[in-house]
Amino acid sequence: MKMTTRVAFDNMKYHKSKNILIGIAIMLTTLLLFVVPSVGKSMIDTQNAAINKIYPTWHAMYRDMDADTMQRLVLHHDIERYGLMMRVGEMMLGNADVSLMYLDETAADLYRVMPETGYIPMREDEIVVSQGILEALGQQADIGDFITVPYQIYRDGGLDYMQEKEFRICGFLQDADSSREQKVYTAFVSEAFAKTEIPQEQLEYQILAQVKGRDSVTTTELEERINNIAHQFGIDEKTVRINDEYLEANYVDPAVVPMIVGLMLIIAAAGIITIYSIYYVSMNQRVQEFGRLKAIGATKRQIRQIVLREGLCVAAIAIPAGLLLGTAAVKIIMSNLCRFVTGISDYLAALQEVIVNREAPMFYAWAYVLALLITLCTVYLSLLKPMRTLSRVSEIEAIRYHGTAKKTKSGRVGYTNLTIGRLTMRNLADNKRKSAVTIASMAITGVLIMVVATILSCATPRQCADNSVLGAYEISPIIEENNKERPERSWSKIQQNNPLNESLKAQIERLDGVKRVDVFSRLRITADVMGEDWNYLNGVPEEYAEELERNIIKGKATYEELKSGDKVIIDTVLTYWFPELDVGTKVNLTIHDGERSFEKEVEIAAIGNYRGGLQNYSYFNMAKEAVDALSDYNSSGYFHVIADEKYDAALAQSLEELVLSSGMLKMRTWQQQYVYWKTTMAMVGGAGCVFLGILGAISVMNLVNTMINSVHVRRKELGMMQAIGMSDRQLVKMLQQEGLFYTLGTLAVAVGAGSLIGYPVFLHAKAEKMFEITTYHYPFTAAVVVSVTLLAVQALLSFAIAKSVRKDALIDRVRFHE
């Protein structure tokens, strides 16, 4: 035992340069294996801590319950705690949106909206408000004072006419920053007031519930339990809202485990391939060394132990170094995370508070243990083949060995005229397997880099914004259904007095910087296959005919055919929810046009995959001409303003003034979407680049080892060549050509295979509408970066190795014998 350990330790010191490379590869593998789960878990815990600061604590909300169903459901044995809530009405204010809600004390606690001072209303004339609501009302009051409130009650499926009533303030709520920014508030009224204003048969309760068995369960199990309760009472799952964020923050999410395991397996696989290839290249040149050990009595088991312990000795130094670097990396990443957190929402404010105050852990004992164990397994698996190979070599074969694992009949070809190129090819031909292993280990990481780069190149912030908003600005009507005080905001009324008219279009087109205004029509529809769900028929103008036809993925339809009004193109999203829909299917549509409705049968001519800006939240597409022909009114649904520039402050201000002066319109801008996607993709791309960069560094270690080992083994041969006339310049050129072979071989596989695999991955991302991806962009930047990086490493390595070889006297190189 002591002998094998001593030999292994001495070998590690003797072959220092090789073991340094192996140690770097092990260190980087450990670094990744520690950083990935640590940062992932720390970010999850940080988000969870923020969620637990501000998010409601209920598990499920059962909506629109009548009094009888409510009384039976709350007695269910799986419900541990519940609170009652009801939408009662809205305050009639022009400068703010204020909802009137009834909540009992348990519901207020579950929603984290207990009054800051005072109590929950109990009497019919009591109300809880906030300072923001009083400011919107233009009144000043304190607890016990009366205020006059204009309000509308929810009756008969909508908001009834305005009423006024004096309420006595019994409590105050705290205004969130986001509420003040957006001027959206909630006031609490009593159940007695709700029952007085709303007919008994129209009372609809919302039940906030926490289900039993909260300990040691997964989010999936809780969701199943919640939905089972709904099924038992015949409640449609669509009316059940699950508090996903809170559940994921406090219970085990099964989806997270496979994701972490997958990342760890990728890292471990990269480590195994690289470390194995380094050992393979190194150990094959040490056959004579182990042959001599066998000749003096070492057994197969002892040979295996020597190889294993040498590797473990290297790991014993590299793993702690990797864990120390990983600890520093995690601290830097998590400490700087708040730089990426910007916004005005309560959640983002809580997230910043958690990060700054370090309320969530950064480091976990299990992460250190996990990284240690997986790295040790990686090293062990990498050593299995060298251990087996070296232990099986006979003493005679080992002593006769001159550089290849198996001695076979020489296949070398003689040349009358020897060139540097022929010398390079001869060496590579003598080490085919070593060359293949080196190229394969680096190419795998290169393929992964190219695939990820494909997704990132197709999801640039500019492209994502282009797909979200057509042109630079999108103007559409404010639609508000079932409001008796604002009936003009229902779509049927908007059609009859549409603010998106020719006069507004002409005004916009006269503004400086506007090229044109593209008008999309829309008609509200229901379909027999969709039940009570409603959608819109999207009227696409002829300017987008080519795009409409180009993005068809199944079936066939021309824009001219869509003008007939008898055919439609549906989006792939609709087939996800209604898989029975296919090309050739006849669909009976009920078209709601103004105050009238009529039936229309259409045929699905094709299925396409379209960007959000073109779809306009609709899934049935028809030519604008056909949609306009189906309507007796102005059915313009969207003005897409195409401008000279994507963002022009003066033009944006002019359009904003037009929108506000109308009082009936709203606007989205390309710039808003661009900023959103820029932030999102910066975080996604940055994390991906760091992860793949470390993987790439692990793989490059293999190239370094291969070239150093190749020169080390041929040191005597190279010395003899220089003795008979090879110049230093020719030596450097030969080493450069050898390195170039590995580099070009790696690039051919990595860039070639990565490009081929990247396109199907793009198609999948497009089909899933990931990151608003619609157009393929080849990742030229990634291909250039990978190519330049490998070429630069190879050039620097060739120069460094040649310089190292020239440091020794020529006579010492000729006499060299390992």
Side-chain angles (χ1 to χ4, degrees):
M1 179 70 73
K2 290 183 179 179
M3 185 275 288
T4 55
T5 303
R6 180 66 183 177
V7 172
F9 186 72
D10 288 342
N11 281 347
M12 182 190 73
K13 292 192 296 180
Y14 183 75
H15 300 286
K16 183 170 62 176
S17 61
K18 300 172 185 176
N19 284 318
I20 286 174
L21 293 176
I22 294 170
I24 293 173
I26 294 173
M27 181 186 69
L28 292 174
T29 303
T30 308
L31 172 68
L32 267 184
L33 288 170
F34 175 74
V35 168
V36 169
S38 295
V39 171
K41 184 65 167 65
S42 186
M43 289 182 71
I44 290 171
D45 286 348
T46 300
Q47 294 175 43
N48 293 346
I51 287 170
N52 284 325
K53 273 179 172 286
I54 61 169
Y55 268 60
T57 59
W58 47 268
H59 296 164
M61 177 193 293
Y62 297 94
R63 295 180 288 186
D64 305 333
M65 301 285 100
D66 57 47
D68 179 60
T69 305
M70 177 270 291
Q71 291 169 0
R72 290 186 294 114
L73 189 143
V74 297
L75 298 176
H76 193 280
H77 63 276
D78 271 339
I79 292 184
E80 183 177 65
R81 189 177 180 219
Y82 71 89
L84 300 179
M85 186 173 76
M86 187 190 309
R87 289 194 316 157
V88 179
E90 294 182 7
M91 288 190 189
M92 188 66 181
L93 302 174
N95 58 346
D97 294 325
V98 183
S99 299
L100 294 177
M101 303 289 296
Y102 156 66
L103 294 89
D104 64 18
E105 193 165 334
T106 306
D109 182 48
L110 291 172
Y111 235 123
R112 293 183 182 268
V113 288
M114 289 292 289
E116 190 176 24
T117 57
Y119 57 87
I120 296 292
M122 292 181 288
R123 294 171 48 184
E124 184 181 332
D125 64 343
E126 290 181 331
I127 192 170
V128 171
V129 294
S130 68
Q131 287 298 331
I133 294 174
L134 290 180
E135 291 171 10
L137 286 167
Q139 302 179 45
Q140 293 183 346
D142 206 341
I143 291 180
D145 295 340
F146 282 87
I147 58 172
T148 302
V149 177
Y151 62 91
Q152 295 173 268
I153 294 295
Y154 285 110
R155 297 191 189 97
D156 303 320
L159 285 168
D160 211 334
Y161 295 105
M162 187 188 77
Q163 302 170 251
E164 278 193 356
K165 181 180 177 67
E166 283 199 339
F167 287 89
R168 188 178 70 86
I169 298 175
C170 66
F172 273 97
L173 296 167
Q174 184 177 10
D175 285 320
D177 292 338
S178 58
S179 295
R180 282 190 169 275
E181 181 74 22
Q182 300 169 20
K183 295 190 179 300
V184 177
Y185 306 97
T186 299
F188 297 164
V189 293
S190 65
E191 185 178 25
F193 172 76
K195 288 182 174 179
T196 300
E197 294 285 345
I198 303 174
Q200 178 68 26
E201 65 277 8
Q202 294 184 22
L203 290 173
E204 291 186 343
Y205 290 89
Q206 327 294 328
I207 301 173
L208 305 178
Q210 287 182 338
V211 299
K212 290 182 179 178
R214 293 185 292 161
D215 298 331
S216 302
V217 295
T218 65
T219 55
T220 302
E221 291 172 336
L222 280 173
E223 289 174 7
E224 288 177 356
R225 197 169 298 167
I226 290 165
N227 288 326
N228 282 337
I229 295 172
H231 292 157
Q232 291 176 33
F233 289 90
I235 300 170
D236 190 346
E237 282 188 20
K238 293 179 181 178
T239 66
V240 180
R241 180 184 167 192
I242 296 175
N243 193 356
D244 296 307
E245 292 85 356
Y246 180 76
L247 295 187
E248 291 169 3
N250 293 276
Y251 303 97
V252 179
D253 185 357
V256 174
V257 177
M259 181 179 67
I260 294 176
V261 170
L263 284 173
M264 301 289 276
L265 287 176
I266 290 172
I267 298 164
I272 290 171
I273 292 168
T274 302
I275 298 169
Y276 162 74
S277 62
I278 294 175
Y279 274 120
Y280 168 77
V281 172
S282 302
M283 292 296 181
N284 274 1
Q285 311 304 334
R286 294 169 60 187
V287 173
Q288 286 187 338
E289 174 187 328
F290 288 97
R292 294 188 193 105
L293 289 174
K294 292 189 77 174
I296 62 174
T299 63
K300 289 184 178 181
R301 184 177 183 277
Q302 287 174 325
I303 294 296
R304 287 196 295 267
Q305 288 296 313
I306 290 170
V307 176
L308 176 61
R309 289 175 189 180
E310 182 180 343
L312 293 179
C313 284
V314 176
I317 299 171
I319 291 176
L323 292 176
L324 285 174
L325 285 176
T327 301
V330 170
K331 187 172 182 179
I332 292 170
I333 292 169
M334 295 309 299
S335 298
N336 289 279
L337 185 63
C338 58
R339 295 183 181 181
F340 297 98
V341 179
T342 56
I344 60 169
S345 73
D346 298 334
Y347 170 70
L348 292 176
L351 195 62
Q352 286 180 321
E353 183 180 339
V354 170
I355 295 169
V356 171
N357 297 333
R358 297 185 179 178
E359 298 175 23
M362 285 187 189
F363 307 106
Y364 308 86
W366 59 263
Y368 287 95
V369 175
L370 188 66
L372 172 66
L373 293 177
I374 295 179
T375 306
L376 286 174
C377 290
T378 299
V379 172
Y380 178 75
L381 292 172
S382 304
L383 287 168
L384 282 177
K385 182 68 181 296
M387 287 163 58
R388 186 166 58 250
T389 301
L390 293 173
S391 65
R392 290 177 178 176
V393 175
S394 68
E395 295 87 336
I396 301 300
E397 183 183 356
I399 292 172
R400 290 176 176 174
Y401 180 81
H402 290 288
T404 57
K406 290 184 180 180
K407 195 67 177 175
T408 59
K409 184 179 178 180
S410 176
R412 292 186 178 181
V413 178
Y415 299 103
T416 56
N417 183 22
L418 190 62
T419 64
I420 297 300
R422 286 173 174 175
L423 278 174
T424 302
M425 294 308 298
R426 191 205 66 182
N427 179 60
L428 295 172
D430 285 347
N431 298 278
K432 293 177 183 176
R433 188 172 179 184
K434 179 186 71 176
S435 302
V437 170
T438 301
I439 290 173
S441 65
M442 293 193 298
I444 289 173
T445 302
V447 168
L448 188 59
I449 290 173
M450 289 298 296
V451 169
V452 173
T454 299
I455 295 298
L456 295 178
S457 68
C458 296
T460 62
R462 180 171 292 275
Q463 184 73 58
C464 293
D466 286 342
N467 292 337
S468 300
V469 176
L470 298 185
Y473 309 92
E474 174 193 281
I475 300 174
S476 59
I478 298 173
I479 300 175
E480 191 176 332
E481 301 291 348
N482 301 318
N483 186 340
K484 290 184 179 179
E485 281 293 332
R486 291 171 175 166
E488 72 280 0
R489 290 192 176 182
S490 68
W491 174 243
S492 60
K493 297 297 184 183
I494 287 174
Q495 281 185 281
Q496 299 171 55
N497 187 26
N498 199 330
L500 297 182
N501 50 38
E502 289 297 324
S503 174
L504 178 65
K505 181 183 176 185
Q507 279 184 278
I508 295 173
E509 289 177 332
R510 284 196 296 267
L511 295 174
D512 290 338
V514 174
K515 289 183 178 179
R516 68 176 195 274
V517 177
D518 294 334
V519 184
F520 282 70
S521 299
R522 67 180 340 194
L523 283 175
R524 191 173 184 179
I525 60 171
T526 52
D528 53 355
V529 294
M530 297 169 59
E532 296 181 359
D533 294 336
W534 56 267
N535 198 246
Y536 286 97
L537 190 60
N538 186 38
V540 182
E542 196 156 3
E543 290 87 346
Y544 298 89
E546 182 182 347
E547 181 177 348
L548 198 64
E549 296 173 9
R550 183 178 65 248
N551 288 295
I552 290 174
I553 60 175
K554 188 175 183 181
K556 185 179 179 181
T558 65
Y559 190 81
E560 288 299 318
E561 291 174 335
L562 297 178
K563 287 182 178 180
S564 67
D566 297 322
K567 293 184 177 182
V568 294
I569 299 175
I570 65 172
D571 188 77
T572 52
V573 171
L574 198 62
T575 62
Y576 175 81
W577 294 108
F578 303 99
E580 65 272 21
L581 296 178
D582 203 350
V583 173
T585 302
K586 299 291 181 66
V587 181
N588 289 315
L589 301 180
T590 300
I591 297 176
H592 305 275
D593 182 46
E595 302 299 333
R596 72 182 183 116
S597 298
F598 60 93
E599 302 292 325
K600 172 72 175 177
E601 184 182 75
V602 296
E603 178 186 351
I604 298 175
I607 299 172
N609 191 332
Y610 300 104
R611 51 180 171 159
L614 184 73
Q615 284 291 117
N616 297 316
Y617 311 102
S618 307
Y619 303 117
F620 290 87
N621 297 290
M622 193 180 281
K624 182 180 187 302
E625 179 182 314
V627 172
D628 291 342
L630 291 171
S631 175
D632 292 338
Y633 306 101
N634 177 3
S635 295
S636 298
Y638 291 90
F639 277 6
H640 291 286
V641 181
I642 314 301
D644 293 331
E645 298 179 9
K646 288 295 187 181
Y647 179 70
D648 180 335
L651 177 57
Q653 181 63 33
S654 299
L655 289 171
E656 189 69 36
E657 290 172 1
L658 282 176
V659 167
L660 291 175
S661 65
S662 167
M664 295 286 291
L665 298 171
K666 58 184 179 180
M667 183 172 75
R668 284 200 313 153
T669 72
W670 181 91
Q671 182 69 12
Q672 293 168 346
Q673 293 298 308
Y674 176 74
V675 170
Y676 167 76
W677 284 111
K678 186 176 181 180
T679 303
T680 301
M681 296 313 299
M683 294 183 67
V684 173
C689 289
V690 170
F691 175 73
L692 294 173
I694 298 176
L695 276 183
I698 295 173
S699 296
V700 166
M701 290 301 103
N702 190 25
L703 173 63
V704 175
N705 173 73
T706 299
M707 293 189 65
I708 290 177
N709 193 74
S710 177
V711 172
H712 182 74
V713 171
R714 295 182 296 143
R715 210 165 186 177
K716 182 175 182 178
E717 177 184 336
L718 295 175
M720 293 178 67
M721 286 183 180
Q722 286 203 285
I724 62 173
M726 176 185 276
S727 66
D728 286 345
R729 183 179 179 183
Q730 288 173 320
L731 173 63
V732 172
K733 185 176 180 182
M734 185 182 73
L735 294 176
Q736 287 177 335
Q737 288 181 356
E738 289 181 13
L740 197 60
F741 172 82
Y742 295 121
T743 301
L744 295 179
T746 298
L747 290 177
V749 178
V751 177
S755 302
L756 292 175
I757 297 173
Y759 189 73
V761 172
F762 152 74
L763 292 177
H764 175 74
K766 179 181 177 181
E768 295 296 321
K769 297 190 182 292
M770 184 188 300
F771 299 132
E772 288 286 346
I773 289 174
T774 56
T775 307
Y776 177 74
H777 295 284
Y778 182 77
F780 284 108
T781 303
V784 170
V785 169
V786 170
S787 302
V788 170
T789 301
L790 279 179
L791 289 170
V793 169
Q794 175 262 319
L796 291 172
L797 188 57
S798 299
F799 177 78
I801 292 173
K803 185 176 179 181
S804 175
V805 171
R806 292 198 301 267
K807 278 172 38 178
D808 295 334
L810 184 59
I811 191 66
D812 292 332
R813 280 181 267 162
V814 173
R815 289 174 176 173
F816 174 79
H817 185 73
E818 186 175 15

